Amino acid sequence: MTTLLRRRAGRVALLQLRGGALWLVIGVGVVLLVLIAAYVYTEVLWFQSVGYLEILRTRLVTQVAIVLVAFFAVAGFVFVNLWLAWRMGPGDALPSKLESPVERVRLVLEPIALPLIVLISVVVGLAFGLTALPTWQSVLLAFHRVDFGRTDPFFGKDLGYFVFQLKFLVLLNQRLMYMLMVTLVLIALAYFFFAGIRPQGLGVKVGWRTNVHLSVLYMCLTAVLFWGFLLERHLLSYDRDGAITGLDYTDIKAALAAYYVLSAVIVLVFVIFQLNVLVRGWALPAFGIVFLGIAALSLAHLYPRVYEYIVVDPQELTRNRPYIKDHLEMTRYGFGLDHVDVVRAPAQPRLSQKELRRRGAEVGARLWDPATLRVAYQQLQALRHYYTFPGIDEDRYDLGSGAREMLLGVREISQSSLPRDANTWINRRTMYTHGYGVVASPPAEADGSGMPIITAGGIPARGPKALSPRNPRVYYGQAPADRALVSTPNAAIDTPRIGGGYGSSAYYGRGGVKLDSALRRAAFALRFWQPKLLLSHRVRRSTRLLLYRQVRERAQRIAPFLKFDHDPYPVVSGDRLQWVVDAYTTSDMVPYARRVNLGDLTRIRANDPQSGEGDLPRELVRDRPGLDGTANYVRNSVKAVVDAYDGTVTFYATDDTDPVLKAWKRIFPHAFTPVEQAPPDLRRHFRYPRDLMRAQAVIWALYHMRSADAFYAKEDAWRIPSEADFISDRVARKVQERVARRADLRPYYLETRLPGQDKAEFLLAQPFSPTDRDVLSGYLAGRSDPGVLGKLTCVLFRPSETVFGPQQARSLIEQDPDISAWISLWTQSGSRVNRGRLLVLPVGGELLYVQGLFLQADKSEVSNLQQAAVASIPELKRVVAVHDGHVVMRSTLKAAISAVLAGRHDAARDTPLPEPRP
């Protein structure tokens, strides 16, 4: 009796435990569903607030459709096959030595077989569906294909097939392959447990119905393999073998032939699996699989290698010449280098000194390096500890006497700089919500003490109308900014006042999500785990929640199918402050074009070691990410413009010839605005993007050669010269590892006249050197002025003339005794002498180099200078110019250029040397 009661109690406890576990699972499921619903609801609200709900809706519908189609297709296929194995297995029961243990397992599984089959099918279907989520872009592009109007060199197919459809077809083929392989494994296990397969049985080991079922699946697998080999032929268009990408002589004569033979082998294996329906056993399937594996290994891999070694390598150039031409042409097309205007610098005799001086006066050099000017702005114009300047950008503005280059910084909020006592939720969310105003300076001028000239700045903002937005408040910018609540009972901190205190401001913009209901506040509180959004009395019906306030992140979140430049730049347009973010359409599926890792080409790391250089203070260098992903097609077809006050984002389509952009416009017809609708004063500020130039320059260094023979021999290969910029001359620092600025000379903006042009224009220039010398071969110029925006010009220097490279120019500067004496004088007096960036400036087809020399008070011990904080303000004291072997140093850029172009090789100063500070 006692035993019976104990058993009943145990059963009751077990039932209670199961019930508790069930309720726990239900509770966890409900919580997850609520959190997911809160996230989706808040995303819908945010996309609705920015006016791009169409993008979110299309994306979500596509992803849900992909998951459902993959789930039902895979789960249904697996379920039908497992159900057949369950129903047909016992009918094929075979004797075996393992019968007893297997039979016991079967007896356990039999009552729960159907639920178990359903569970397995659902799990496998969900796995396939969820892993297919990231393919939504490929799916959309495949169903909205646009023709390029250009065919590949071998198959004669339009590039639209390769760019938009081939990747989707390959993904589909792979998914079908995985589905069949997983199903085969599950079916084999099912038949084993339900007696259809007995590996150790006597006589027949596979039942008849089991054999038919498996043979049908084998045939399906071979059919998918056959389709995969047909696609593999087209994937040879991306094969990189040696110096070129795409089909070469070996691929056409050997690899394609091997794929055709393999296709015939697959047909034979398909027939073998059909015969296996009549002949039960493992022999025929095993033979077919082994035969296919050996054929694939020998034909697809071994045969082309042997053919290349014996037939192609002895006369590789002759065999591959036409395919090298195809590779050069398609690579230049993919990176937008097929319409570069190539001009040669004027030949001797050179321009007269008068003409050189006249043109030299037109050159807009940037002596103030953005990192240096950022330090100066932080000291001179931040005005409060909670303001910061995340970056300095170059642009041009008409201040009444024509367009001129200016350097701009935006005074943004820095919540991370708040004191610990002030770092409260109320302060972060409702008080310190925005920055204020623009600071601008000419790039090559300084006042009498060497400080930058502040053309526009201050609080309240002062300066020319062209640089003074009517509403200077900055709620959206470059700096990482947390969420903010505006239109709350307490107005946000706005303008600091003399003697302490501050002016406040209310928010009247339309940016952000309005928290006008308890449901909205509860949804955001759940999403961010912030109950104060629901409970605080400072959140009322008129309050708006500002999200994603970093402009690059904001644009990326709206349009994840585009890639965005790392460096948004501010524009004062129509009395408003706007941010322009260059956006790119990319693909890695252009046949024959070389694929590159965009991140490797555009990323800048502050701590890359470079032996033989001095030490740059770490606080003057910023790490920055570049573009991500692999690509062989890049176009700057979109300019994203973000309003700094209300966060409005407009995507201006600037290239109607881009097929990738056309496809996205088909998918999202209301997402893009024609560039013709952009305000004219905004369009004047569009410029050639730096990240695109970085990628194009690396490609152009090799692919400027149009001859297949020259490209094969690398006869005129170029490289990007090393950059020796902003290096401190205090070589006595006791450090083991030195921190270099950057390894390569990055492209830079300047205002100058191209050979054959009548007037100076705003350019992005990238110089090149030969691979084995430090002289210059030429430079690539990306043009930014209206009418020529986006065009590229390559200026070539004549091989018969020697044009000094940056390292040689720097050596001439270091060898100048007067300059060395000046630097040593200040270094010994306890100041830090920093070199500005050594810029290459084209002048009438010739080149000159200019470099600023900056002083900073530095009282740190020599051994501690590596990590010394820059607390003093950089002062521009001297300008060095180099031309045709002549080196001069002056106090202004105009004086330096005039002197060096006059050919006076002396370092006499037009002003006396200042005495070292005590």
Side-chain angles (χ1 to χ4, degrees):
M1 187 68 177
T2 304
T3 304
L4 182 60
L5 291 175
R6 288 179 179 175
R7 289 179 179 176
R8 287 183 179 179
R11 290 174 184 172
V12 172
L14 181 60
L15 289 174
Q16 290 177 345
L17 181 62
R18 290 179 178 176
L22 178 62
W23 282 110
L24 178 62
V25 171
I26 293 175
V28 171
V30 170
V31 170
L32 289 176
L33 286 176
V34 170
L35 292 178
I36 293 172
Y39 179 84
V40 174
Y41 178 57
T42 53
E43 279 293 283
V44 169
L45 291 176
W46 184 76
F47 271 89
Q48 196 172 36
S49 72
V50 295
Y52 290 97
L53 187 58
E54 171 199 25
I55 293 180
L56 179 65
R57 182 172 57 246
T58 302
R59 177 181 175 180
L60 289 179
V61 169
T62 303
Q63 290 179 317
V64 170
I66 289 172
V67 171
L68 292 179
V69 169
F71 171 75
F72 283 111
V74 175
F77 186 79
V78 172
F79 174 81
V80 169
N81 282 275
L82 285 176
W83 185 84
L84 289 174
W86 172 50
R87 303 303 297 173
M88 295 191 304
D92 280 347
L94 300 171
S96 171
K97 295 179 181 180
L98 297 177
E99 193 67 38
S100 295
V102 173
E103 182 65 18
R104 286 197 295 269
V105 174
R106 188 185 70 79
L107 291 175
V108 173
L109 293 179
E110 185 66 33
I112 61 170
L114 187 58
L116 184 61
I117 289 172
V118 173
L119 177 62
I120 293 174
S121 302
V122 168
V123 170
V124 175
L126 279 177
F128 273 79
L130 294 177
T131 55
L133 270 177
T135 65
W136 66 274
Q137 295 186 31
S138 298
V139 173
L140 283 174
L141 289 174
F143 285 95
H144 296 83
R145 168 182 166 177
V146 174
D147 286 341
F148 276 64
R150 186 185 187 113
T151 59
D152 78 289
F154 183 77
F155 296 104
K157 289 181 172 290
D158 188 90
L159 297 189
Y161 163 77
F162 291 91
V163 172
F164 299 124
Q165 292 183 315
L166 182 56
K167 180 179 287 189
F168 169 73
L169 295 176
V170 171
L171 286 172
L172 182 60
N173 180 266
Q174 290 176 347
R175 297 287 170 170
L176 290 175
M177 184 80 66
Y178 297 152
M179 181 186 70
L180 287 167
M181 293 174 65
V182 170
T183 304
L184 273 169
V185 172
L186 293 174
I187 295 304
L189 291 173
Y191 275 119
F192 176 76
F193 287 116
F194 291 112
I197 297 176
R198 285 291 178 265
Q200 298 184 9
L202 300 174
V204 179
K205 300 178 183 295
V206 181
W208 182 80
R209 285 182 292 187
T210 303
N211 185 67
V212 172
H213 190 182
L214 291 174
S215 298
V216 171
L217 289 178
Y218 292 151
M219 286 186 280
C220 292
L221 187 62
T222 53
V224 174
L225 276 173
F226 181 79
W227 181 35
F229 277 120
L230 294 181
L231 295 176
E232 198 71 29
R233 297 176 307 137
H234 298 150
L235 292 179
L236 288 173
S237 300
Y238 311 99
D239 181 41
R240 182 166 177 80
D241 186 12
I244 67 174
T245 299
L247 286 92
D248 58 9
Y249 190 85
T250 302
D251 292 325
I252 292 175
K253 298 299 183 180
L256 282 177
Y259 280 123
Y260 291 134
V261 174
L262 277 174
S263 300
V265 170
I266 292 177
V267 173
L268 177 60
V269 173
F270 184 83
V271 174
I272 290 174
F273 288 143
Q274 287 180 315
L275 295 176
N276 193 60
V277 174
L278 303 176
V279 183
R280 286 186 291 175
W282 296 98
L284 284 179
F287 171 76
I289 293 173
V290 172
F291 180 60
L292 180 60
I294 294 175
L297 180 64
S298 58
L299 291 175
H301 296 282
L302 184 60
Y303 172 64
R305 298 294 175 266
V306 173
Y307 185 90
E308 183 175 24
Y309 180 76
I310 296 176
V311 178
V312 179
D313 284 351
Q315 41 188 338
E316 184 177 13
L317 177 59
T318 303
R319 300 284 193 188
N320 284 329
R321 184 177 285 114
Y323 312 110
I324 294 175
K325 291 180 180 178
D326 293 335
H327 170 65
L328 292 174
E329 180 182 353
M330 295 303 290
T331 300
R332 283 194 293 265
Y333 169 75
F335 287 91
L337 298 169
D338 51 336
H339 291 100
V340 177
D341 295 326
V342 179
V343 298
R344 290 196 174 272
Q348 299 282 6
R350 297 180 177 179
L351 298 175
S352 66
Q353 291 183 0
K354 180 179 179 181
E355 180 66 13
L356 280 173
R357 285 195 297 270
R358 184 183 70 81
R359 295 195 175 186
E362 298 175 350
V363 175
R366 192 195 68 225
L367 296 179
W368 284 98
D369 185 275
T372 319
L373 191 60
R374 178 169 167 247
V375 175
Y377 278 3
Q378 197 66 39
Q379 297 292 328
L380 297 172
Q381 285 289 316
L383 305 180
R384 287 292 189 270
H385 64 275
Y386 47 82
Y387 287 136
T388 186
F389 292 89
I392 306 296
D393 293 280
E394 306 95 326
D395 207 339
R396 60 271 194 223
Y397 285 86
D398 188 349
L399 304 182
S401 57
R404 58 178 298 191
E405 186 179 359
M406 298 294 292
L407 295 177
L408 274 75
V410 177
R411 189 184 293 106
E412 299 186 38
I413 196 71
S414 176
Q415 295 172 332
S416 60
S417 300
L418 295 178
R420 180 177 300 178
D421 294 341
N423 195 8
T424 63
W425 185 83
I426 293 295
N427 281 342
R428 291 197 314 271
R429 296 288 185 264
T430 67
M431 300 292 289
Y432 296 94
T433 59
H434 60 277
Y436 190 96
V438 173
V439 181
S441 300
E445 299 176 25
D447 61 17
S449 62
M451 301 292 184
I453 296 175
I454 306 299
T455 305
I459 297 178
R462 298 179 300 275
K465 183 179 179 181
L467 291 169
S468 301
R470 184 172 52 205
N471 187 345
R473 293 161 185 85
V474 182
Y475 285 87
Y476 299 85
Q478 279 186 283
D482 210 341
R483 301 177 296 275
L485 293 168
V486 295
S487 298
T488 60
N490 52 314
I493 293 175
D494 191 51
T495 53
R497 293 175 177 172
I498 299 176
Y502 60 88
S504 60
S505 70
Y507 185 77
Y508 299 103
R510 296 178 297 173
V513 180
K514 200 171 183 179
L515 302 179
D516 55 1
S517 69
L519 177 61
R520 292 190 174 194
R521 293 196 295 273
F524 281 107
L526 281 174
R527 175 172 176 176
F528 299 119
W529 291 97
Q530 186 52 262
K532 293 179 181 179
L533 285 174
L534 189 60
L535 303 175
S536 176
H537 68 279
R538 295 177 182 270
V539 181
R540 53 189 182 182
R541 295 183 64 84
S542 61
T543 299
R544 291 178 176 270
L545 177 62
L546 308 185
L547 299 168
Y548 310 122
R549 297 202 289 150
Q550 198 170 14
V551 291
R552 186 173 184 261
E553 176 198 12
R554 188 175 182 84
Q556 184 77 64
R557 195 163 189 88
I558 295 173
F561 47 87
L562 301 175
K563 297 185 186 300
F564 291 89
D565 198 275
H566 83 282
D567 187 23
Y569 60 95
V571 171
V572 179
S573 168
D575 291 334
R576 298 187 70 87
L577 179 60
Q578 313 258 21
W579 292 94
V580 178
V581 192
D582 287 289
Y584 308 100
T585 56
T586 63
S587 174
D588 61 350
M589 296 299 291
V590 173
Y592 282 82
R594 177 183 171 186
R595 287 172 169 170
V596 297
N597 188 314
L598 295 176
D600 292 342
L601 302 186
T602 58
R603 184 183 303 116
I604 289 180
R605 299 183 181 92
N607 294 328
D608 284 343
Q610 182 177 339
S611 59
E613 296 288 359
D615 300 321
L616 176 69
R618 294 169 63 93
E619 59 271 17
L620 297 185
V621 186
R622 279 192 305 133
D623 284 326
R624 65 134 172 104
L627 304 177
D628 62 326
T630 301
N632 59 9
Y633 178 91
V634 185
R635 293 292 187 274
N636 176 217
S637 300
V638 179
K639 304 283 187 181
V641 178
V642 184
D643 190 279
Y645 184 68
D646 60 22
T648 303
V649 183
T650 307
F651 295 99
Y652 290 107
T654 58
D655 185 1
D656 290 334
T657 65
D658 178 12
V660 179
L661 178 61
K662 289 180 180 179
W664 288 120
K665 289 171 73 173
R666 282 188 178 184
I667 298 167
F668 306 114
H670 305 295
F672 299 96
T673 303
V675 70
E676 292 77 17
Q677 297 183 20
D681 63 335
L682 175 64
R683 292 176 61 184
R684 282 195 293 269
H685 290 281
F686 289 164
R687 68 186 192 186
Y688 204 94
R690 186 179 279 122
D691 275 351
L692 177 62
M693 175 63 80
R694 291 269 297 176
Q696 288 177 320
V698 173
I699 297 299
W700 186 250
L702 285 179
Y703 291 84
H704 69 278
M705 296 179 284
R706 298 186 176 273
S707 165
D709 293 41
F711 179 81
Y712 179 81
K714 302 295 184 291
E715 183 271 335
D716 190 26
W718 295 347
R719 64 178 175 85
I720 297 176
S722 299
E723 180 175 28
D725 67 333
F726 220 109
I727 303 301
S728 172
D729 275 322
R730 178 162 290 189
V731 296
R733 299 182 178 187
K734 300 177 181 178
V735 291
Q736 295 297 324
E737 293 185 3
R738 300 192 170 199
V739 179
R741 175 58 179 248
R742 297 168 185 93
D744 295 332
L745 182 66
R746 296 176 297 118
Y748 51 90
Y749 294 99
L750 73 156
E751 198 166 1
T752 190
R753 180 196 307 216
L754 290 170
Q757 299 296 325
D758 296 330
K759 62 178 183 178
E761 58 181 282
F762 192 63
L763 304 172
L764 179 64
Q766 175 65 73
F768 294 97
S769 293
T771 54
D772 56 348
R773 293 187 297 160
D774 290 329
V775 298
L776 291 186
S777 307
Y779 62 92
L780 189 65
R783 305 170 72 180
S784 299
D785 283 0
V788 293
L789 174 65
K791 295 184 180 297
L792 285 169
T793 298
C794 181
V795 179
L796 301 178
F797 301 128
R798 296 185 174 273
S800 58
E801 300 179 16
T802 299
V803 180
F804 288 143
Q807 296 294 338
Q808 294 171 324
R810 185 186 176 199
S811 297
L812 289 174
I813 295 172
E814 291 179 342
Q815 293 167 8
D816 187 273
D818 294 324
I819 296 175
S820 298
W822 187 85
I823 292 174
S824 299
L825 177 67
W826 283 103
T827 302
Q828 293 170 5
S829 67
S831 293
R832 178 185 293 173
V833 180
N834 289 325
R835 297 177 183 272
R837 192 173 186 191
L838 186 63
L839 292 181
V840 189
L841 305 180
V843 179
E846 301 186 40
L847 290 184
L848 63 88
Y849 289 87
V850 296
Q851 184 176 54
L853 299 180
F854 296 83
L855 291 184
Q856 284 182 271
D858 191 349
K859 300 301 182 181
S860 304
E861 295 293 332
V862 172
S863 60
N864 296 329
L865 285 179
Q866 174 70 20
Q867 303 295 336
V870 177
S872 58
I873 303 173
E875 300 173 5
L876 177 61
K877 291 300 185 183
R878 287 292 182 269
V879 180
V880 178
V882 181
H883 173 67
D884 197 23
H886 302 304
V887 182
V888 299
M889 181 170 66
R890 294 291 186 270
S891 60
T892 65
L893 175 66
K894 183 177 180 180
I897 291 180
S898 178
V900 77
L901 292 180
R904 296 204 302 266
H905 181 44
D906 62 273
R909 284 100 188 143
D910 50 347
T911 57
L913 275 174
E915 293 297 327
R917 288 182 286 259

